[in-house]
Amino acid sequence: MNPVTEPAGNLRLVVGFDGSPPATRALDAAVGLLSGRPGEIIVLYIAHLAAVDMLSADAIAEVEIGFDEVERDLRAQAGEQLRGREERWKFERRQGLIPEELIAAAVHVRDAHADDITAIVVGSSSSAMHRVVGSVAVSLARRSPVPLVVVP
């Protein structure tokens, strides 16, 4: 019988979170992956402002206020979802293109904790439009420099 060896280092999971059903499934999966292991979950909300060049400064300021409200709501939603199940988590917000920001966050975590295992966890999209134009998960699968878990 071969002894089971524990992987070296902590497990650091960057979870893309927008409050949608696929995102909540991804967060649930991250809890399961981290169970019984040292590490943490980084819940990441990416505020994406499309067509920023077409907005006035006042309009951008209004959108930013909306992003702040969404961030508060998502932080609370993640906290409620994780309450009593997993306490080793933090919430972060970035702004930009979703795949690029997930990758940038994961690379930052990986580089800051070189002896640990870093992975991105996202939910798969069920949108028919994403079959045509591509989804965040597909974009990540093509370009992620860290392991990727796509939760159905």
Side-chain angles (χ1 to χ4, degrees), residues 1 19 149:
M1 185 164 144
V149 177

Side-chain angles (χ1 to χ4, degrees), residues 60-138:
I60 291 172
E62 287 296 317
V63 171
E64 288 292 330
I65 291 169
F67 285 157
D68 292 343
E69 292 172 6
V70 170
E71 178 184 357
R72 281 191 297 276
D73 291 347
L74 291 177
R75 182 186 306 269
Q77 181 182 346
E80 184 62 32
Q81 185 175 344
L82 294 170
R83 182 171 293 117
R85 298 174 59 209
E86 181 56 65
E87 300 303 321
R88 298 167 297 162
W89 70 279
K90 62 184 175 180
F91 189 95
E92 294 181 6
R93 172 177 147 190
R94 286 180 170 244
Q95 188 159 328
L97 298 174
I98 296 166
E100 285 79 359
E101 292 303 321
L102 281 165
I103 289 170
V107 166
H108 176 78
V109 170
R110 179 198 66 193
D111 293 349
H113 305 280
D115 292 336
D116 294 345
I117 299 164
T118 301
I120 297 172
V121 183
V122 294
S124 65
S125 173
S126 58
S127 168
M129 181 59 125
H130 287 160
R131 291 188 199 110
V132 176
V133 297
S135 67
V136 169
V138 169

Side-chain angles (χ1 to χ4, degrees), residues 4 11 15 17 24 36 44 55 59 78 100 106 128 145:
V4 175
L11 181 59
V15 180
F17 192 76
T24 58
L44 185 60
L55 297 176
E100 285 79 359

